[in-house]
């Protein structure tokens, strides 16, 4: 598409009446041309193979509950220049994240005004596509959680590296679900020695219970880090 040519758009929506409405309204915009009105992901993939439009206005649920996500992922892999704007009634965080992970550049609810929908297509066609506010908020929360996860994992790793091989061995068995008395039998040491090791581990992590540190390891998905560390 050039600055002078219209935005070549495809509407992929399985509900016939909505499909007609979106197509008709978009076609009344002088800078937008709807190349096709499609009703399934299979139709869409076959069409873009031939035409490669600028923008696809795409529903998530068509012949399957996540057909739109699947199509978006495939289009992004094969035709990364096609800009996908999801138009859907779903606003669950998981759906929004899946849409952007598949390669979408915006996510609009069907309850939004046609002015908003037209604007999303224009932004996408003009290669200027700031994410709609509620989708952006979902992504912000997700990235914040990801940042917190990285910080927690880094902190855990730094402390874990200070453990002695004996303490690592105790922690490995705790992670496997063994009680302190059972660990003493496995290690052929006194229970009081196990308690001493556990006490030092908890002190380093500034925790009070072994169940808390085991839960932390699982929450951070750090089981392999613990299991593969050198121990005695």
């Amino acid at each position: 598409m050039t600055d002078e040519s219209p935005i070549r758009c495809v509407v992929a929506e399985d509900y016939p009446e909505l499909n007609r409405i979106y197509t008709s309204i978009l076609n009344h915009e002088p800078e937008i041309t709807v190349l096709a009105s499609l009703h399934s992901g299979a139709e869409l993939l076959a069409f873009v193979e031939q035409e490669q439009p600028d923008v696809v206005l795409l529903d998530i649920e068509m012949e399957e509950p996540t057909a739109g996500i699947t199509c978006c992922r495939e289009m992004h892999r094969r035709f990364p220049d096609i800009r996908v704007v999801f138009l859907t009634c779903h606003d669950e965080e998981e759906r929004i994240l899946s849409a952007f992970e598949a390669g979408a550049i915006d996510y609009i609810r069907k309850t939004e005004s046609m002015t908003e929908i037209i604007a999303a297509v224009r932004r996408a066609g003009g290669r200027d596509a700031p994410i709609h506010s509620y989708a952006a908020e979902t992504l912000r929360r997700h990235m914040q959680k990801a940042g917190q996860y990285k910080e927690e994992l880094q902190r855990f790793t730094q402390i874990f590296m200070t453990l002695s091989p004996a303490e690592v061995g105790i922690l490995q068995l705790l992670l496997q679900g063994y009680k302190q008395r059972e660990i003493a039998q496995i290690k052929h040491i006194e229970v009081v020695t196990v308690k001493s090791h556990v006490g030092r581990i908890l002190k380093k992590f500034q925790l009070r219970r072994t169940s808390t540190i085991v839960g932390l390891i699982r929450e951070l998905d750090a089981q392999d880090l613990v299991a593969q560390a050198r121990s005695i």
Side-chain angles (χ1 to χ4, degrees):
M1 185 193 74
T2 66
D3 292 340
E4 295 78 21
S5 61
I7 298 167
R8 300 165 66 251
C9 179
V10 169
V11 175
E13 160 66 58
D14 69 333
Y15 188 59
E17 187 58 32
L18 281 179
N19 196 313
R20 283 194 293 270
I21 290 171
Y22 298 144
T23 298
S24 175
I25 291 176
L26 288 171
N27 262 332
H28 275 82
E29 297 298 311
E31 70 271 44
I32 300 172
T33 297
V34 178
L35 302 178
S37 302
L38 308 174
H39 299 86
S40 72
E43 285 182 323
L44 176 59
L45 289 177
F47 184 85
V48 299
E49 178 77 34
Q50 300 297 321
E51 297 295 334
Q52 297 177 34
D54 301 312
V55 178
V56 174
L57 191 62
L58 180 57
D59 188 19
I60 285 183
E61 288 192 4
M62 289 184 287
E63 69 268 43
E64 296 176 357
T66 58
I69 299 289
T70 302
C71 275
C72 180
R73 186 175 292 111
E74 181 65 12
M75 283 190 293
H76 187 64
R77 183 183 69 83
R78 298 172 59 193
F79 310 107
D81 287 339
I82 295 176
R83 314 274 276 179
V84 174
V85 175
F86 273 105
L87 182 61
T88 175
C89 59
H90 299 284
D91 58 4
E92 301 95 334
E93 181 171 316
E94 183 179 352
R95 295 271 187 141
I96 295 173
L97 294 176
S98 295
F100 285 105
E101 287 169 356
I105 53 94
D106 207 350
Y107 189 106
I108 304 291
R109 288 175 294 193
K110 292 178 180 178
T111 53
E112 297 290 338
S113 68
M114 278 307 305
T115 299
E116 286 284 347
I117 295 169
I118 292 167
V121 173
R122 284 176 177 156
R123 291 193 300 266
R127 303 286 161 169
D128 176 23
I131 299 169
H132 200 275
S133 58
Y134 69 87
E137 176 63 19
T138 297
L139 289 178
R140 186 194 65 78
R141 290 196 304 268
H142 178 69
M143 294 303 293
Q144 185 178 45
K145 289 178 184 177
Q148 291 171 346
Y149 166 80
K150 290 177 182 178
E151 290 177 2
E152 287 291 327
L153 182 58
Q154 183 179 19
R155 177 180 175 275
F156 172 85
T157 303
Q158 289 172 340
I159 297 172
F160 180 73
M161 296 302 291
T162 70
L163 300 184
S164 69
E167 291 165 353
V168 171
I170 298 295
L171 189 55
Q172 288 171 339
L173 291 172
L174 288 171
L175 187 58
Q176 293 174 43
Y178 290 105
K179 305 299 183 184
Q180 292 186 28
R181 188 171 298 278
E182 295 171 324
I183 294 173
Q185 294 173 347
I186 293 170
K187 293 288 188 181
H188 304 292
I189 56 178
E190 298 294 330
V191 174
V192 67
T193 304
V194 175
K195 291 182 180 295
S196 178
H197 285 311
V198 169
R200 286 195 293 271
I201 293 169
L202 293 176
K203 185 176 181 179
K204 289 179 179 180
F205 281 97
Q206 298 181 347
L207 298 173
R208 293 185 176 182
R209 299 178 181 276
T210 56
S211 59
T212 304
I213 192 169
V214 168
L216 177 63
I217 292 169
R218 289 175 177 159
E219 182 180 341
L220 295 174
D221 197 21
Q223 296 95 318
D224 288 344
L225 172 67
V226 175
Q228 295 171 11
R230 187 173 67 88
S231 64
I232 60 173

